[in-house]
Each structure stands twice: as C-alpha cells, then as structure tokens.
Amino acid sequence: MKSEMDILSMDERQRVCWLLANRATLMIVGLVWLGMIVWKLIENRIPYFLIIMVPVFGLIRFAMYHVYSAKLK
C-alpha cells in the first residue's frame, strides 16, 4: 500500500521531515487535549470522555502498530 510519502515521490530527506512534522503535530494535539482536560477540571467539571479517550487512543495506536508490523514480516 502506498503512503502519502510515496504518492508525493519524496526523497529520504523529505520523508524524515514529513515524519518529524507528523510527530510534532501529534504532540501539539496531545498538549491541546491535555489542556482541554485541565480547563474542564478548573471549571469543576470532570471531562470523563476526554480522560477515558487518552488510554483508548494509546491502545488503538499500539494495536495498529502490531497490525502493520505483522504485515511487513
């Protein structure tokens, strides 16, 4: 299966930059998510959905890693 990097015909340098940009984006989204949790807690509202989804996203990522790594073997 072609990735967006293959479709855009990126060289190795561009691929590394793309992956680093993806990592930075995920970190920013994570910080915003944590900020939303803190904001709700400051308002004395417990954001159950936001808190529950943190480990759920982690488990989804872990599962997808194993699915993709098994396909490459």
Side-chain angles (χ1 to χ4, degrees), residues 1 7-9 11 17 20 26 30 32 37-38 45 50-51 55 62-63 65 72:
M1 180 160 109
I7 294 169
L8 294 172
S9 301
D11 62 23
C17 292
L20 290 173
L26 283 174
V32 169
I37 291 172
V38 170
R45 297 172 58 195
L50 295 174
I51 293 171
F62 185 72
Y65 168 77
L72 294 176

PDB file of all heavy atoms in Angstrom, residues 1 7-9 11 17 20 26 30 32 37-38 45 50-51 55 62-63 65 72:
ATOM      1  N   MET A   1       0.840  -1.171   0.000  1.00  0.00           N
ATOM      2  CA  MET A   1       0.000   0.000   0.000  1.00  0.00           C
ATOM      3  C   MET A   1       0.890   1.241   0.000  1.00  0.00           C
ATOM      4  O   MET A   1       1.817   1.344   0.799  1.00  0.00           O
ATOM      5  CB  MET A   1      -0.888  -0.012   1.247  1.00  0.00           C
ATOM      6  CG  MET A   1      -1.791   1.171   1.343  1.00  0.00           C
ATOM      7  SD  MET A   1      -3.154   0.844   2.428  1.00  0.00           S
ATOM      8  CE  MET A   1      -2.758   1.837   3.810  1.00  0.00           C
ATOM      9  N   ILE A   7       3.254   8.635  -2.746  1.00  0.00           N
ATOM     10  CA  ILE A   7       2.447   9.335  -3.747  1.00  0.00           C
ATOM     11  C   ILE A   7       3.077  10.676  -4.115  1.00  0.00           C
ATOM     12  O   ILE A   7       3.068  11.076  -5.276  1.00  0.00           O
ATOM     13  CB  ILE A   7       1.002   9.520  -3.236  1.00  0.00           C
ATOM     14  CG1 ILE A   7       0.328   8.149  -3.117  1.00  0.00           C
ATOM     15  CG2 ILE A   7       0.196  10.439  -4.146  1.00  0.00           C
ATOM     16  CD1 ILE A   7      -0.987   8.160  -2.388  1.00  0.00           C
ATOM     17  N   LEU A   8       3.657  11.348  -3.124  1.00  0.00           N
ATOM     18  CA  LEU A   8       4.292  12.644  -3.375  1.00  0.00           C
ATOM     19  C   LEU A   8       5.737  12.501  -3.864  1.00  0.00           C
ATOM     20  O   LEU A   8       6.425  13.502  -4.056  1.00  0.00           O
ATOM     21  CB  LEU A   8       4.260  13.495  -2.101  1.00  0.00           C
ATOM     22  CG  LEU A   8       2.862  13.913  -1.627  1.00  0.00           C
ATOM     23  CD1 LEU A   8       2.932  14.567  -0.256  1.00  0.00           C
ATOM     24  CD2 LEU A   8       2.218  14.848  -2.635  1.00  0.00           C
ATOM     25  N   SER A   9       6.197  11.282  -4.058  1.00  0.00           N
ATOM     26  CA  SER A   9       7.560  10.986  -4.536  1.00  0.00           C
ATOM     27  C   SER A   9       8.634  11.708  -3.724  1.00  0.00           C
ATOM     28  O   SER A   9       9.505  12.385  -4.262  1.00  0.00           O
ATOM     29  CB  SER A   9       7.692  11.357  -6.012  1.00  0.00           C
ATOM     30  OG  SER A   9       6.760  10.648  -6.789  1.00  0.00           O
ATOM     31  N   ASP A  11      11.928  12.197  -1.389  1.00  0.00           N
ATOM     32  CA  ASP A  11      13.217  11.561  -1.167  1.00  0.00           C
ATOM     33  C   ASP A  11      13.384  11.328   0.340  1.00  0.00           C
ATOM     34  O   ASP A  11      12.505  11.659   1.129  1.00  0.00           O
ATOM     35  CB  ASP A  11      14.356  12.397  -1.758  1.00  0.00           C
ATOM     36  CG  ASP A  11      14.480  13.778  -1.122  1.00  0.00           C
ATOM     37  OD1 ASP A  11      14.030  13.984   0.023  1.00  0.00           O
ATOM     38  OD2 ASP A  11      15.057  14.664  -1.790  1.00  0.00           O
ATOM     39  N   CYS A  17      11.566  14.701   7.198  1.00  0.00           N
ATOM     40  CA  CYS A  17      10.895  15.948   7.568  1.00  0.00           C
ATOM     41  C   CYS A  17       9.396  15.728   7.732  1.00  0.00           C
ATOM     42  O   CYS A  17       8.773  16.259   8.658  1.00  0.00           O
ATOM     43  CB  CYS A  17      11.159  17.038   6.535  1.00  0.00           C
ATOM     44  SG  CYS A  17      12.867  17.595   6.508  1.00  0.00           S
ATOM     45  N   LEU A  20       8.833  13.873  10.995  1.00  0.00           N
ATOM     46  CA  LEU A  20       9.054  14.778  12.123  1.00  0.00           C
ATOM     47  C   LEU A  20       7.889  15.760  12.274  1.00  0.00           C
ATOM     48  O   LEU A  20       7.461  16.070  13.387  1.00  0.00           O
ATOM     49  CB  LEU A  20      10.374  15.530  11.960  1.00  0.00           C
ATOM     50  CG  LEU A  20      11.638  14.689  12.128  1.00  0.00           C
ATOM     51  CD1 LEU A  20      12.865  15.514  11.768  1.00  0.00           C
ATOM     52  CD2 LEU A  20      11.745  14.140  13.538  1.00  0.00           C
ATOM     53  N   LEU A  26       1.275  15.514  16.321  1.00  0.00           N
ATOM     54  CA  LEU A  26       0.679  14.660  17.345  1.00  0.00           C
ATOM     55  C   LEU A  26       0.954  15.190  18.749  1.00  0.00           C
ATOM     56  O   LEU A  26       0.091  15.137  19.628  1.00  0.00           O
ATOM     57  CB  LEU A  26       1.201  13.230  17.214  1.00  0.00           C
ATOM     58  CG  LEU A  26       0.593  12.415  16.081  1.00  0.00           C
ATOM     59  CD1 LEU A  26       1.302  11.073  15.961  1.00  0.00           C
ATOM     60  CD2 LEU A  26      -0.890  12.204  16.299  1.00  0.00           C
ATOM     61  N   GLY A  30      -1.854  16.409  21.368  1.00  0.00           N
ATOM     62  CA  GLY A  30      -1.867  15.843  22.723  1.00  0.00           C
ATOM     63  C   GLY A  30      -1.849  16.921  23.794  1.00  0.00           C
ATOM     64  O   GLY A  30      -2.572  16.829  24.801  1.00  0.00           O
ATOM     65  N   VAL A  32      -2.920  20.023  23.456  1.00  0.00           N
ATOM     66  CA  VAL A  32      -4.224  20.694  23.424  1.00  0.00           C
ATOM     67  C   VAL A  32      -5.261  19.839  24.147  1.00  0.00           C
ATOM     68  O   VAL A  32      -6.076  20.338  24.914  1.00  0.00           O
ATOM     69  CB  VAL A  32      -4.655  20.985  21.966  1.00  0.00           C
ATOM     70  CG1 VAL A  32      -6.102  21.423  21.896  1.00  0.00           C
ATOM     71  CG2 VAL A  32      -3.745  22.044  21.353  1.00  0.00           C
ATOM     72  N   ILE A  37      -8.585  19.015  29.129  1.00  0.00           N
ATOM     73  CA  ILE A  37      -8.883  18.297  30.368  1.00  0.00           C
ATOM     74  C   ILE A  37      -8.668  19.212  31.560  1.00  0.00           C
ATOM     75  O   ILE A  37      -9.526  19.319  32.446  1.00  0.00           O
ATOM     76  CB  ILE A  37      -8.020  17.022  30.480  1.00  0.00           C
ATOM     77  CG1 ILE A  37      -8.451  16.000  29.427  1.00  0.00           C
ATOM     78  CG2 ILE A  37      -8.109  16.424  31.880  1.00  0.00           C
ATOM     79  CD1 ILE A  37      -7.542  14.785  29.316  1.00  0.00           C
ATOM     80  N   VAL A  38      -7.529  19.899  31.591  1.00  0.00           N
ATOM     81  CA  VAL A  38      -7.221  20.809  32.702  1.00  0.00           C
ATOM     82  C   VAL A  38      -8.248  21.933  32.768  1.00  0.00           C
ATOM     83  O   VAL A  38      -8.716  22.293  33.854  1.00  0.00           O
ATOM     84  CB  VAL A  38      -5.786  21.370  32.566  1.00  0.00           C
ATOM     85  CG1 VAL A  38      -5.532  22.486  33.548  1.00  0.00           C
ATOM     86  CG2 VAL A  38      -4.775  20.246  32.743  1.00  0.00           C
ATOM     87  N   ARG A  45     -15.655  20.704  36.389  1.00  0.00           N
ATOM     88  CA  ARG A  45     -16.394  19.718  35.596  1.00  0.00           C
ATOM     89  C   ARG A  45     -15.417  18.612  35.257  1.00  0.00           C
ATOM     90  O   ARG A  45     -14.306  18.871  34.799  1.00  0.00           O
ATOM     91  CB  ARG A  45     -16.950  20.346  34.327  1.00  0.00           C
ATOM     92  CG  ARG A  45     -17.960  21.447  34.609  1.00  0.00           C
ATOM     93  CD  ARG A  45     -18.368  22.186  33.372  1.00  0.00           C
ATOM     94  NE  ARG A  45     -18.946  21.268  32.385  1.00  0.00           N
ATOM     95  CZ  ARG A  45     -19.118  21.588  31.106  1.00  0.00           C
ATOM     96  NH1 ARG A  45     -18.747  22.774  30.656  1.00  0.00           N
ATOM     97  NH2 ARG A  45     -19.649  20.733  30.277  1.00  0.00           N
ATOM     98  N   LEU A  50     -12.958  12.900  27.737  1.00  0.00           N
ATOM     99  CA  LEU A  50     -11.589  13.287  27.377  1.00  0.00           C
ATOM    100  C   LEU A  50     -10.564  12.436  28.121  1.00  0.00           C
ATOM    101  O   LEU A  50      -9.552  12.024  27.542  1.00  0.00           O
ATOM    102  CB  LEU A  50     -11.362  14.766  27.681  1.00  0.00           C
ATOM    103  CG  LEU A  50     -12.171  15.770  26.868  1.00  0.00           C
ATOM    104  CD1 LEU A  50     -11.926  17.185  27.388  1.00  0.00           C
ATOM    105  CD2 LEU A  50     -11.839  15.677  25.411  1.00  0.00           C
ATOM    106  N   ILE A  51     -10.823  12.167  29.387  1.00  0.00           N
ATOM    107  CA  ILE A  51      -9.881  11.388  30.192  1.00  0.00           C
ATOM    108  C   ILE A  51      -9.858   9.936  29.733  1.00  0.00           C
ATOM    109  O   ILE A  51      -8.785   9.330  29.592  1.00  0.00           O
ATOM    110  CB  ILE A  51     -10.243  11.491  31.690  1.00  0.00           C
ATOM    111  CG1 ILE A  51     -10.008  12.923  32.178  1.00  0.00           C
ATOM    112  CG2 ILE A  51      -9.437  10.498  32.518  1.00  0.00           C
ATOM    113  CD1 ILE A  51     -10.537  13.207  33.565  1.00  0.00           C
ATOM    114  N   PRO A  55      -6.116   6.817  27.186  1.00  0.00           N
ATOM    115  CA  PRO A  55      -5.582   5.448  27.017  1.00  0.00           C
ATOM    116  C   PRO A  55      -6.198   4.709  25.832  1.00  0.00           C
ATOM    117  O   PRO A  55      -5.550   3.836  25.246  1.00  0.00           O
ATOM    118  CB  PRO A  55      -5.917   4.761  28.346  1.00  0.00           C
ATOM    119  CG  PRO A  55      -7.022   5.550  28.932  1.00  0.00           C
ATOM    120  CD  PRO A  55      -6.845   6.956  28.443  1.00  0.00           C
ATOM    121  N   PHE A  62      -1.180   1.349  19.614  1.00  0.00           N
ATOM    122  CA  PHE A  62      -0.427   0.132  19.897  1.00  0.00           C
ATOM    123  C   PHE A  62      -0.927  -1.023  19.030  1.00  0.00           C
ATOM    124  O   PHE A  62      -0.136  -1.749  18.428  1.00  0.00           O
ATOM    125  CB  PHE A  62      -0.557  -0.209  21.383  1.00  0.00           C
ATOM    126  CG  PHE A  62       0.261  -1.376  21.824  1.00  0.00           C
ATOM    127  CD1 PHE A  62       1.639  -1.270  21.924  1.00  0.00           C
ATOM    128  CD2 PHE A  62      -0.346  -2.578  22.157  1.00  0.00           C
ATOM    129  CE1 PHE A  62       2.398  -2.345  22.341  1.00  0.00           C
ATOM    130  CE2 PHE A  62       0.410  -3.655  22.565  1.00  0.00           C
ATOM    131  CZ  PHE A  62       1.787  -3.549  22.661  1.00  0.00           C
ATOM    132  N   ALA A  63      -2.240  -1.173  18.923  1.00  0.00           N
ATOM    133  CA  ALA A  63      -2.825  -2.243  18.115  1.00  0.00           C
ATOM    134  C   ALA A  63      -2.495  -2.059  16.635  1.00  0.00           C
ATOM    135  O   ALA A  63      -2.132  -3.024  15.951  1.00  0.00           O
ATOM    136  CB  ALA A  63      -4.339  -2.288  18.318  1.00  0.00           C
ATOM    137  N   TYR A  65       0.026  -0.480  15.375  1.00  0.00           N
ATOM    138  CA  TYR A  65       1.458  -0.754  15.189  1.00  0.00           C
ATOM    139  C   TYR A  65       1.685  -2.249  14.976  1.00  0.00           C
ATOM    140  O   TYR A  65       2.401  -2.656  14.073  1.00  0.00           O
ATOM    141  CB  TYR A  65       2.256  -0.257  16.403  1.00  0.00           C
ATOM    142  CG  TYR A  65       3.678  -0.755  16.399  1.00  0.00           C
ATOM    143  CD1 TYR A  65       4.626  -0.174  15.569  1.00  0.00           C
ATOM    144  CD2 TYR A  65       4.056  -1.829  17.192  1.00  0.00           C
ATOM    145  CE1 TYR A  65       5.927  -0.649  15.544  1.00  0.00           C
ATOM    146  CE2 TYR A  65       5.343  -2.315  17.170  1.00  0.00           C
ATOM    147  CZ  TYR A  65       6.279  -1.721  16.345  1.00  0.00           C
ATOM    148  OH  TYR A  65       7.560  -2.202  16.316  1.00  0.00           O
ATOM    149  N   LEU A  72       4.411  -6.488   7.543  1.00  0.00           N
ATOM    150  CA  LEU A  72       5.720  -6.289   6.925  1.00  0.00           C
ATOM    151  C   LEU A  72       6.630  -7.500   7.080  1.00  0.00           C
ATOM    152  O   LEU A  72       7.681  -7.567   6.452  1.00  0.00           O
ATOM    153  CB  LEU A  72       6.389  -5.048   7.511  1.00  0.00           C
ATOM    154  CG  LEU A  72       5.709  -3.723   7.195  1.00  0.00           C
ATOM    155  CD1 LEU A  72       6.413  -2.586   7.915  1.00  0.00           C
ATOM    156  CD2 LEU A  72       5.709  -3.471   5.692  1.00  0.00           C
TER     157      LEU A  72
END
